[in-house]
Amino acid sequence: NAGVTQTPKFQVLKTGQSMTLQCAQDMNHEYMSWYRQDPGMGLRLIHYSVGAGITDQGEVPNGYNVSRSTTEDFPLRLLSAAPSQTSVYFCASTKAGTPNYGYTFGSGTRLTVV
Amino acid sequence: AQSVTQPDIHITVSEGASLELRCNYSYGATPYLFWYVQSPGQGLQLLLKYFSGDTLVQGIKGFEAEFKRSQSSFNLRKPSVHWSDAAEYFCAVGIQGAQKLVFGQGTRLTINP
């Protein structure tokens, strides 16, 4: 089925480890974003991309890197995991030029850093 | 700076009762407004959206929302809730041509049988 696919669904990391959260969409959407969801804080934007080769920081970018080499993929890298990065991470995508189209969200990655 | 406020963290209503979830936004330009619903352990599903035109918009699952520019509000309503409506609801504003979304803190809805 078409949509946004995130892997893995669950992950436990030790402090200081690195990992990459994968996000892929097959809808040819230009815009892609990463959010983290924490209780009582809604969803906060980490990084976003408006097309291949173009990325920018969101509200809470520290400790995370992204790249966008293809339209389909937008991986999120944790360079050195910290307990404060324990969260649920969502990837989302939408079409450019249609601001009221609405974002499609993946099912999330639940990350625990111990 | 742009922001979205959902004043109610948790609301409990009885099944069959009416529902209104509040959302206020702060954004200098024309807002693109969205309501999303999240069931436990799930991703976010788009309920409805507003950009222009009729200020009362209809969405899925019997929900509607009304845009009031003078009050900077975009409240979500449903005439009669069902137990399956129990979830968390998020209001969001799209900025920079919706290159990114700014979310409210969310409202958790509990339904009493």
Side-chain angles (χ1 to χ4, degrees):
Chain A
N1 291 335
V4 178
T5 303
Q6 290 185 238
T7 55
K9 293 190 181 302
F10 301 94
Q11 183 70 50
V12 178
L13 286 180
K14 294 182 179 179
T15 298
Q17 287 184 318
S18 63
M19 79 160 295
T20 299
L21 308 186
Q22 301 292 343
C23 175
Q25 52 91 9
D26 58 2
M27 298 171 285
N28 205 30
H29 286 170
E30 294 85 356
Y31 295 172
M32 296 187 75
S33 304
W34 276 102
Y35 294 85
R36 60 177 289 172
Q37 182 179 21
D38 302 291
M41 304 190 75
L43 282 81
R44 293 180 293 168
L45 182 65
I46 305 172
H47 286 283
Y48 66 104
S49 169
V50 298
I54 306 171
T55 63
D56 205 349
Q57 296 181 351
E59 182 185 357
V60 288
N62 292 340
Y64 307 95
N65 273 0
V66 292
S67 60
R68 184 98 180 268
S69 56
T70 67
T71 300
E72 295 78 19
D73 300 300
F74 191 42
L76 178 72
R77 297 181 186 84
L78 281 70
L79 307 175
S80 178
S84 61
Q85 294 178 304
T86 294
S87 187
V88 181
Y89 292 84
F90 288 99
C91 180
S93 72
T94 192
K95 291 168 60 68
T98 51
N100 64 332
Y101 184 79
Y103 275 78
T104 300
F105 281 80
S107 56
T109 295
R110 185 175 294 274
L111 176 67
T112 301
V113 182
V114 298
Chain B
Q2 55 276 356
S3 65
V4 176
T5 300
Q6 294 180 243
D8 304 305
I9 296 174
H10 184 206
I11 285 182
T12 300
V13 299
S14 298
E15 190 167 16
S18 63
L19 172 70
E20 182 170 32
L21 303 183
R22 296 182 290 165
C23 172
N24 293 97
Y25 68 91
S26 173
Y27 184 50
T30 301
Y32 306 94
L33 295 163
F34 306 89
W35 274 99
Y36 284 86
V37 60
Q38 183 183 34
S39 298
Q42 302 298 312
L44 278 75
Q45 181 182 21
L46 181 65
L47 276 178
L48 46 75
K49 56 193 177 183
Y50 172 82
F51 169 51
S52 65
D54 194 346
T55 56
L56 184 64
V57 294
Q58 303 296 320
I60 62 172
K61 304 185 180 188
F63 285 92
E64 66 179 25
E66 185 172 14
F67 171 63
K68 293 185 177 180
R69 186 182 297 276
S70 61
Q71 298 178 18
S72 297
S73 68
F74 188 54
N75 294 348
L76 182 71
R77 301 195 294 248
K78 187 170 185 178
S80 176
V81 298
H82 185 262
W83 64 267
S84 60
D85 293 324
E88 189 149 21
Y89 292 79
F90 293 94
C91 181
V93 61
I95 61 174
Q96 294 177 205
Q99 289 180 9
K100 48 187 179 179
L101 296 178
V102 175
F103 283 87
Q105 301 92 326
T107 298
R108 184 161 61 93
L109 176 64
T110 299
I111 307 295
N112 280 339

